[in-house]
Amino acid sequence: MTVLYLTVSLLIMVLSQSTLTDSLELMRWIGWAQRKAGEDWTRAREISFEQSFVLAYLVRNPGAIQRDIAQTTRTSAANVSSLLQGLERNGLVERRTEGGNGRSKRVYATPVAAQLITGLDAAMAAADEAILAPLNQAERALLHTLLTKITAELPHPTGS
C-alpha cells in the first residue's frame, strides 16, 4: 500500500464518519466565540457576562419582576435572586415595592448600571459580524434559512 492510498483511505473514513454531532459542535464553537466576546467586554467593566445580560434586560424592561428575569435568562429564580442581590449591593439595581403589594417587587437598573453597559449591544454586534465575516451575503442568507428551519422544529427554551 502506498502512502497516498492510506492518506486517501483515512480521509474517506474521516469524512464518512462526519455526523450531525460535528455540525452541532461547530455551532457550540460559534456560541463559545460569542460568549467570549461578551465576557471580554464585561470583564473590562468588572461585571460578569450574566450581570451584563440582566442589566441590559432591565434597561430595556424597567420594573421587571424576578420571574420575568428568570424566564428571560433561562435560569432559576434562586439564581436570579442571588445575582440581583450582588447587583443591588453594588448599586446597579434597585428593587421597589409598587401598588401596595409588599410581596411583589419590581427591579430597575440604576443610571450607573445603564451607563456601565452602554456599548454592549454594539460590541456584541461587532463580534457577530467578525464571526460571520468569512461568509458572503448569499451564504449568510442560506445559513439563516437552515437555522430557521432547524429551530422551527425545536421546543422554545424555558426558564426551567
Side-chain angles (χ1 to χ4, degrees):
M1 285 201 238
T2 67
V3 173
L4 178 59
Y5 175 79
L6 289 174
T7 303
V8 171
S9 296
L10 180 61
L11 182 59
I12 290 170
M13 185 177 75
V14 167
L15 291 175
S16 68
Q17 291 179 357
S18 180
T19 65
L20 179 60
T21 304
D22 296 332
S23 296
L24 295 177
E25 184 61 33
L26 293 172
M27 290 172 60
R28 281 189 284 278
W29 191 356
I30 292 167
W32 172 85
Q34 288 176 306
R35 178 159 180 111
K36 176 145 181 13
E39 287 174 344
D40 291 346
W41 190 90
T42 58
R43 189 176 300 113
R45 286 146 185 85
E46 298 181 354
I47 58 175
S48 71
F49 184 72
E50 291 78 13
Q51 289 172 324
S52 69
F53 187 89
V54 168
L55 291 175
Y57 177 79
L58 290 172
V59 166
R60 290 184 198 104
N61 301 281
I65 59 174
Q66 188 171 307
R67 181 179 62 235
D68 295 339
I69 299 166
Q71 197 168 28
T72 299
T73 59
R74 297 178 182 100
T75 189
S76 69
N79 286 342
V80 170
S81 180
S82 176
L83 189 131
L84 290 176
Q85 287 171 2
L87 291 171
E88 197 169 25
R89 275 192 306 275
N90 292 328
L92 299 174
V93 299
E94 50 187 48
R95 297 187 230 203
R96 301 181 203 150
T97 303
E98 294 181 357
N101 182 355
R103 295 177 61 203
S104 177
K105 291 188 178 182
R106 301 278 176 174
V107 185
Y108 296 85
T110 65
V112 170
Q115 181 62 38
L116 183 67
I117 62 156
T118 298
L120 175 61
D121 290 340
M124 294 309 297
D128 290 348
E129 183 56 37
I131 289 167
L132 294 174
L135 303 179
N136 64 35
Q137 287 308 110
E139 291 167 330
R140 289 179 185 207
L142 177 59
L143 176 63
H144 184 267
T145 298
L146 293 172
L147 292 173
T148 300
K149 185 175 182 178
I150 291 168
T151 56
E153 300 298 320
L154 298 175
H156 290 273
T158 64
S160 54

